[in-house]
Amino acid sequence: MRFLHQRGFTSTLLQPALFTGTTAYSSSHVICPDQLLISLPEFCLLTTSTVLDSYLGQYIKSWKPRLSPLLALCTFLVSERHRGEASDWFPYVDVLPTTYTCPAYFTDDVMAVLPTCVRGRALEQREAVREMHSSNQDFFRSLQPILNQPVEDVFTYEALRWAWCSVNTRSVFMSHPSNNFLSGQDVYALAPFLDLLNHRPDVQVKASFNDVTRCYEIRSVSGTLRYQQAFINYGSHDNQRLMLEYGFVAPCNPHSVVYISTDLLIDVLRGDRSLDQKIKFLRENDFLHNLTVSSEGPSWRLMTALRLLSLPQTLYQHWRAVLLGQGVCEEREEWSIQAAKTICQRLRQDTHTALDKISLLLQQGDQSVQEQLDVVRSLRQEERCILGSCLEALVGTLKQPDDLSSRQPDVDTVS
């Protein structure tokens, strides 16, 4: 707080407070709707302008090919942490988490118990950080003159991973004008003080940089009672996205869904002789992504895809119409509902198996791995609840007993 006040920060509405399992903010006064929660001066924000104006500026400006804004910020954080108390930003860097529960930190065992649809993206995140580290070794070596230790001891993979997660989990969106020194979209700003505000899905706020006051401002839409934790909203994200981007799972998240992978569709319907052609058709029409189920039931996209998959090849001329919303006969609709039920049952079994594995791993892992497993366990437990509710909704719509295999779509009886 002293560090920020020296930089022109004067807000006193919110004060740090300890809540169960977290440090956050509360207010001794009622926060009214549309009231200004925080007004953080531009000089308090850590942006690429901060980096380019620092001792790192000459190294970044002269480097070719140009660095990304993300790499510039990560480099600055690693360097500032290395400088310790000599750093102008030490009070902020010193209170950043030392580790994160984002997939970039996940061990192979933790990766293995993630839901299939999120595991691929989690592995991509971990690989992206490794690639950033390995592909920029020459640039890191160019920084040796400003380091008092060998560069390979400072710019380690672990250090860059920490910096990458610090930026990814804690930065706010703030568009910056392009410059001649960095390459790519520059939309990051690290905001000390502000980044202690936690996310809650049902809270509404207005957040943006005010070009008149030159401050990053957050206004409450709904207000907050005094002494209660003040929340903001990171966006309408499901819990898979929150885990990937921020390393946590929000309880009672109304946006949460379970994703259905193409591989699962193929496995459940593998008896259909025309399945390859249908999958190809769905892919060409961009209909294989964002297939989900929620507590209320299957999504429109999933049911539409299943209705198309229910049709025999002889009705190829109707496939596009089905994607546009045309209904199918009662028998094919029943088949589609049964297919959705089978998919949910498969996923629920996978979730039960994963939760059993997580329980075993929690007995063996160290503290950091346990924290990672706790996040994945919360995600899996939510998934189990969603699938259970979805199955109840589907059972209520079925008119015939379970018998998906006896009504395969390649039996050409659809009218």
Side-chain angles (χ1 to χ4, degrees):
M1 290 293 288
R2 287 194 299 271
F3 162 77
L4 291 173
H5 284 309
Q6 290 169 3
R7 290 172 171 260
F9 181 54
T10 58
S11 176
T12 57
L13 178 63
L14 298 178
Q15 297 296 326
L18 286 174
F19 292 89
T20 304
T22 186
T23 301
Y25 291 124
S26 69
S27 173
S28 59
H29 302 87
V30 173
I31 299 172
C32 301
D34 203 41
Q35 186 170 356
L36 190 65
L37 285 177
I38 288 182
S39 180
L40 198 62
E42 186 174 21
F43 194 52
C44 296
L45 301 174
L46 201 169
T47 66
T48 52
S49 295
T50 311
V51 179
L52 292 173
D53 291 340
S54 74
Y55 57 90
L56 283 175
Q58 60 177 313
Y59 296 92
I60 294 174
K61 291 174 182 178
S62 62
W63 190 259
K64 297 292 184 291
R66 291 183 295 178
L67 305 184
S68 69
L70 176 58
L71 178 57
L73 285 169
C74 289
T75 301
F76 185 77
L77 284 180
V78 172
S79 181
E80 289 294 281
R81 188 170 71 163
H82 167 69
R83 287 162 62 88
E85 294 187 22
S87 161
D88 290 340
W89 288 84
F90 174 77
Y92 175 59
V93 175
D94 191 48
V95 298
L96 289 173
T98 57
T99 186
Y100 291 90
T101 50
C102 297
Y105 273 81
F106 284 2
T107 65
D108 289 341
D109 284 342
V110 177
M111 286 285 189
V113 291
L114 283 170
T116 302
C117 278
V118 75
R119 189 182 307 141
R121 288 183 288 167
L123 289 167
E124 287 173 6
Q125 181 185 108
R126 191 170 69 176
E127 184 55 35
V129 180
R130 290 191 184 279
E131 171 63 21
M132 177 181 281
H133 180 256
S134 63
S135 64
N136 288 284
Q137 288 299 304
D138 288 343
F139 168 67
F140 297 147
R141 279 191 284 269
S142 77
L143 303 178
Q144 184 63 70
I146 62 172
L147 304 174
N148 57 24
Q149 293 181 27
V151 67
E152 57 269 19
D153 294 340
V154 176
F155 282 89
T156 62
Y157 165 71
E158 290 76 17
L160 190 69
R161 178 180 62 180
W162 165 81
W164 188 94
C165 288
S166 295
V167 175
N168 200 57
T169 63
R170 308 179 84 80
S171 62
V172 296
F173 180 89
M174 180 178 167
S175 184
H176 307 285
S178 60
N179 59 60
N180 296 323
F181 309 115
L182 299 173
S183 174
Q185 193 176 26
D186 190 352
V187 294
Y188 305 99
L190 285 165
F193 190 88
L194 184 153
D195 60 9
L196 269 183
L197 283 165
N198 291 320
H199 167 81
R200 206 171 82 178
D202 60 339
V203 168
Q204 290 183 310
V205 295
K206 299 175 183 176
S208 65
F209 184 77
N210 188 324
D211 290 319
V212 177
T213 63
R214 306 304 296 173
C215 294
Y216 192 91
E217 297 179 348
I218 296 182
R219 290 186 179 274
S220 173
V221 171
S222 52
T224 303
L225 297 175
R226 65 177 184 166
Y227 303 125
Q228 298 298 306
Q229 183 177 168
F231 291 94
I232 58 173
N233 191 305
Y234 298 176
S236 300
H237 304 315
D238 61 58
N239 273 336
Q240 287 196 10
R241 174 78 180 275
L242 290 175
M243 187 206 69
L244 281 167
E245 300 297 335
Y246 303 104
F248 70 87
V249 170
C252 305
N253 187 346
H255 308 294
S256 285
V257 293
V258 177
Y259 289 86
I260 312 302
S261 69
T262 302
D263 288 343
L264 179 58
L265 277 180
I266 292 172
D267 188 51
V268 168
L269 306 175
R270 62 183 179 273
D272 181 358
R273 292 191 297 271
S274 58
L275 182 60
D276 288 348
Q277 185 178 357
K278 294 172 186 175
I279 293 293
K280 181 173 181 288
F281 185 83
L282 287 169
R283 183 174 287 111
E284 289 172 348
N285 286 274
D286 199 27
F287 231 87
L288 283 177
H289 74 281
N290 204 27
L291 303 179
T292 63
V293 299
S294 69
S295 298
E296 286 73 40
S299 67
W300 177 86
R301 282 181 65 87
L302 176 59
M303 287 309 299
T304 300
L306 289 175
R307 289 181 185 112
L308 184 142
L309 291 164
S310 78
L311 298 178
Q313 195 168 10
T314 53
L315 293 180
Y316 175 79
Q317 68 273 19
H318 296 294
W319 288 7
R320 187 170 301 279
V322 170
L323 286 191
L324 295 174
Q326 178 178 295
V328 294
C329 70
E330 184 176 346
E331 181 186 4
R332 293 296 94 193
E333 183 69 15
E334 280 282 301
W335 183 94
S336 302
I337 295 171
Q338 181 57 50
K341 182 183 174 187
T342 302
I343 288 168
C344 287
Q345 289 170 333
R346 291 279 192 93
L347 286 170
R348 189 169 63 170
Q349 181 56 51
D350 175 69
T351 299
H352 284 306
T353 301
L355 285 168
D356 289 341
K357 290 180 180 177
I358 290 170
S359 295
L360 291 174
L361 290 170
L362 281 168
Q363 300 171 18
Q364 305 165 4
D366 58 27
Q367 181 63 32
S368 63
V369 174
Q370 288 180 359
E371 290 173 355
Q372 297 169 18
L373 287 168
D374 284 339
V375 173
V376 178
R377 179 172 59 179
S378 296
L379 187 67
R380 285 292 199 170
Q381 288 172 337
E382 179 197 58
E383 187 177 76
R384 181 177 59 187
C385 292
I386 290 173
L387 292 168
S389 298
C390 185
L391 279 167
E392 289 179 10
L394 286 168
V395 168
T397 62
L398 280 171
K399 297 180 181 178
Q400 301 179 26
D402 298 358
D403 192 11
L404 184 62
S405 61
S406 67
R407 291 176 280 144
Q408 286 293 343
D410 60 348
V411 179
D412 299 344
T413 58
V414 181
S415 57

